[in-house]
Amino acid sequence: MDARLIYGQLFMERILRAVVFNWLPESVKLKGSVKGLDFRPQASFLPQVPTRGVAPVLPQKVSQRYLDEQAKLNVREDVDVYPSQPPPLSDGRNPHVMIVGAGLAGLLLGILLDHAGIPYKIYERAKEVKPLGAVMTLNAGVFPALEQLGLYEELVKLSLPVTRTSVFHGDMTEIITLKTKLADVIGYDHIVFPRPEFYDLVLSRVPREKIHFSKKVLSMEQNKEGVMIRCSDRTTYHGDILVGADGAYSGVRQALYKRMDKAGTLPPSDLDELNKGYICMVGTTRPLDPAKYSGVEGKDASIYQIVGRNSNYSWSVFTIPGNRICWSVKLQLLTVKEATQHKFKNSEWGSDTSDPMIKEVRDFLIPMGGTMGDLIDSSPRETISRVFLEDKLFDTWHHGRTLLPSAGLGAVTAMQDAVVLANCIYEMKGLKLEDIDEAFVEFKNERYPKLQAQYSASQTTAKLLYGQGWFDKFLRVVVFSLLPESFKLKGAYKGMEFRPQASFIPQVPVRGTAPVLPQKPSLRYQAEQTQLNNEEEHASVSVSAVV
């Protein structure tokens, strides 16, 4: 492309030159000038030098041999800081798992471990569960696992099916209405539901004695014998495996990365700041008057995505059961400076920082009539929350006995992580460090390639629905106006071919006509079922003999 741009003499090459040199904004030219410089390989057997500049850099592949050699050098330090291990909490084969974070992913992992007969405890930094969050949608990527656990049918009762989605400009000019035809293809309806009610459903399946609240993790230590966390209330807890399911701003991640960075084993990319992100405010109204809000009483969900004109704001409204509306407002941060300023100010879901944003968005129009201010005034204030949404795929997922699932890529991704991780823990051969490492490597090998694709798709979707840059607007025109319906339908269910199920529970049948990736069978489960069948057969023969 560079050669054609600079030297080309054909008609289209001259047109390209005129467009690039005369019409493209300076920021786009600058982005083009650094394209290709994101690949900066370093010697994997030497300490890594920090990344310079603000442009994104591809992660450095970690040398396992180098990590092993460094671990041998640092083993004495580990023994010193963690000299003893309390009596084992495991049952011999199954490890005791410590889960930090009582979000959906942490709770679902706990439910799965219960079914697998694996002991666990959940540690949550909050003092109590708060009903924060607004609308939520899941897809076929996680529905089979929820079916296995008896959660899917209960979820459907809380939901409305989606048959169409409309996209508008901020002045209420309609851009497009997309009709949903996914049910026959993927086997499940596209549904929307209030997140707090789904969270309560999942929470109800976890025994309360398994969850410890007010447990903010400050540090962690691990060695060949076990892992320990130290909390802000000066309590300590021990286990065989530590799972940091406490989000993008994970206390476990920070503690582990600090130790790895000190040892020179952490890829520099994992310490990079974000280039940009979104500030998101969400809420759910009380029951509304159908006469004022058309469609709120419908049997199908009404979904409206609104993209502001000459603004960095976009907003959405969704009808949910009970004549209510879930709403959200997103502010796109276009510069590194903006993202850095907002990152730690808004890293936690909460209602304390919403006032300034509420004032800015009160007059935004909605297609159902009225304004965002009307919806905000109809929403209980304690349920309105505001947070910075992180957009990053970390390279380091595990070290020693500690694992950090993906974070910041949505509920489906987090819940798929829980299913795959439960399968990997269930298949562990023993409790030695090498057994745990083998399980963690298996987990990352299965999840990382899929997450790379999901990460890219997530960025594209965000640009399509919320983006305010010139390229985002151009992308909307191309996708909504020029692509054929068959292509849009295929894009709508892309990624849903991965539908992991718990390998230690009877499988549910595949639904729909879309291709589904095969489920990896569990050798341990097959052996246990064979033994159980043999025992039942032997018992039956014995009873027959007695009779």
Side-chain angles (χ1 to χ4, degrees):
M1 177 62 77
D2 289 345
R4 293 175 58 191
L5 183 64
I6 297 174
Y7 310 122
Q9 297 298 327
L10 298 178
F11 172 77
M12 285 303 299
E13 292 163 342
R14 295 176 183 178
I15 293 295
L16 180 65
R17 203 159 31 240
V19 171
V20 172
F21 290 158
N22 299 321
W23 293 346
L24 290 186
E26 290 299 322
S27 59
V28 177
K29 295 178 185 176
L30 177 61
K31 186 175 181 180
S33 67
V34 299
K35 186 177 181 181
L37 301 182
D38 50 347
F39 180 57
R40 306 179 187 178
Q42 298 187 42
S44 61
F45 45 85
L46 296 174
Q48 306 291 287
V49 299
T51 301
R52 297 188 181 187
V54 297
V57 176
L58 294 175
Q60 174 79 14
K61 184 177 181 180
V62 179
S63 166
Q64 188 59 49
R65 175 180 173 182
Y66 181 78
L67 293 179
D68 293 340
E69 292 172 347
Q70 292 300 305
K72 290 179 181 178
L73 293 175
N74 295 327
V75 68
R76 175 53 52 187
E77 177 186 354
D78 284 340
V79 172
D80 289 341
V81 297
Y82 188 39
S84 63
Q85 171 72 5
L89 296 171
S90 57
D91 62 6
R93 175 171 182 175
N94 292 319
H96 176 78
V97 181
M98 298 192 297
I99 305 169
V100 177
L104 286 172
L107 294 177
L108 184 62
L109 178 58
I111 296 172
L112 289 161
L113 294 179
D114 254 340
H115 280 267
I118 297 173
Y120 72 94
K121 287 293 178 73
I122 299 175
Y123 303 91
E124 168 58 41
R125 65 183 299 172
K127 296 180 180 179
E128 59 184 1
V129 175
K130 296 181 179 180
L132 300 176
V135 73
M136 188 172 177
T137 180
L138 298 174
N139 62 37
V142 74
F143 285 156
L146 295 182
E147 276 193 272
Q148 286 184 292
L149 299 173
L151 291 168
Y152 177 71
E153 291 184 359
E154 296 299 316
L155 171 61
V156 170
K157 295 176 183 178
L158 306 174
S159 310
L160 288 179
V162 178
T163 56
R164 64 177 60 201
T165 299
S166 298
V167 185
F168 287 79
H169 286 301
D171 58 5
M172 295 301 98
T173 302
E174 184 174 353
I175 300 176
I176 193 173
T177 293
L178 302 170
K179 295 182 179 180
T180 303
K181 304 176 183 178
L182 294 181
D184 292 339
V185 178
I186 66 172
Y188 298 90
D189 281 324
H190 178 201
I191 58 176
V192 296
F193 49 90
R195 184 188 182 281
E197 293 176 19
F198 177 56
Y199 182 88
D200 287 342
L201 171 63
V202 178
L203 180 65
S204 69
R205 302 298 179 89
V206 179
R208 284 307 176 101
E209 66 271 15
K210 296 281 190 177
I211 307 177
H212 299 275
F213 290 97
S214 298
K215 299 297 179 181
K216 180 180 179 180
V217 175
L218 295 182
S219 63
M220 52 79 61
E221 307 291 351
Q222 60 182 346
N223 65 11
K224 293 183 178 181
E225 303 302 324
V227 59
M228 176 187 74
I229 57 172
R230 183 177 291 106
C231 302
S232 57
D233 61 357
R234 299 184 179 181
T235 55
T236 59
Y237 300 92
H238 303 78
D240 300 299
I241 288 176
L242 173 62
V243 179
D246 45 344
Y249 300 93
S250 164
V252 176
R253 185 187 307 278
Q254 294 177 28
L256 181 64
Y257 279 16
K258 182 178 180 180
R259 291 184 59 80
M260 293 181 66
D261 185 43
K262 183 179 180 181
T265 58
L266 184 70
S269 60
D270 282 336
L271 296 176
D272 286 348
E273 291 289 342
L274 303 177
N275 289 322
K276 60 181 179 180
Y278 294 89
I279 296 293
C280 181
M281 182 172 65
V282 300
T284 302
T285 69
R286 302 179 181 87
L288 300 173
D289 183 359
K292 182 177 180 180
Y293 295 96
S294 175
V296 75
E297 80 284 14
K299 296 182 179 180
D300 294 340
S302 298
I303 298 182
Y304 301 101
Q305 301 279 357
I306 304 98
V307 183
R309 287 189 182 275
N310 301 317
S311 167
N312 291 339
Y313 275 105
S314 60
W315 54 104
S316 311
V317 291
F318 300 72
T319 59
I320 60 171
N323 293 3
R324 294 171 295 164
I325 290 178
C326 283
W327 53 268
S328 68
V329 181
K330 292 184 177 67
L331 170 64
Q332 184 178 15
L333 307 174
L334 299 176
T335 67
V336 177
K337 182 178 180 180
E338 283 183 299
T340 302
Q341 289 175 342
H342 285 281
K343 179 176 180 179
F344 293 106
K345 292 180 182 178
N346 304 279
S347 60
E348 298 290 340
W349 286 101
S351 58
D352 300 333
T353 59
S354 301
D355 286 342
M357 197 170 187
I358 289 176
K359 292 179 181 179
E360 292 182 15
V361 307
R362 291 195 65 86
D363 296 331
F364 289 178
L365 300 175
I366 58 174
M368 307 173 73
T371 65
M372 285 300 305
D374 297 329
L375 299 184
I376 292 171
D377 292 340
S378 300
S379 304
R381 184 53 193 269
E382 66 273 11
T383 67
I384 298 176
S385 53
R386 181 173 178 264
V387 71
F388 178 86
L389 298 181
E390 181 159 17
D391 187 12
K392 182 176 181 179
L393 185 59
F394 293 96
D395 187 63
T396 301
W397 284 29
H398 62 89
H399 183 70
R401 294 176 173 271
T402 303
L403 183 130
L404 303 163
S406 59
L409 297 181
V412 170
T413 296
M415 297 173 79
Q416 286 179 335
D417 280 351
V419 177
V420 175
L421 178 56
N423 289 343
C424 292
I425 294 175
Y426 179 77
E427 291 297 312
M428 280 174 44
K429 300 173 183 177
L431 303 183
K432 295 180 180 178
L433 186 57
E434 51 265 35
D435 298 322
I436 293 173
D437 186 68
E438 181 179 345
F440 288 174
V441 169
E442 175 68 20
F443 172 77
K444 186 176 181 181
N445 286 344
E446 181 168 354
R447 294 298 291 135
Y448 196 77
K450 297 178 179 68
L451 284 171
Q452 285 180 310
Q454 288 177 257
Y455 180 67
S456 177
S458 175
Q459 288 183 313
T460 301
T461 300
K463 288 177 178 293
L464 189 63
L465 296 178
Y466 318 125
Q468 299 293 340
W470 74 269
F471 180 77
D472 305 332
K473 297 174 182 178
F474 173 74
L475 182 66
R476 263 193 295 275
V477 173
V478 171
V479 172
F480 290 154
S481 304
L482 303 179
L483 292 184
E485 288 298 322
S486 59
F487 194 88
K488 295 176 186 176
L489 178 62
K490 187 175 181 180
Y493 63 78
K494 184 179 181 181
M496 296 186 199
E497 67 274 9
F498 180 60
R499 306 180 184 182
Q501 298 189 41
S503 62
F504 42 84
I505 303 175
Q507 306 290 286
V508 300
V510 175
R511 296 191 184 189
T513 59
V516 176
L517 294 176
Q519 176 78 18
K520 184 177 180 180
S522 166
L523 299 180
R524 175 181 174 183
Y525 181 71
Q526 291 176 350
E528 289 174 345
Q529 291 302 302
T530 299
Q531 181 180 353
L532 180 62
N533 291 335
N534 291 339
E535 291 174 353
E536 291 178 349
E537 183 177 347
H538 179 72
S540 177
V541 171
S542 299
V543 171
S544 299
V546 171
V547 173

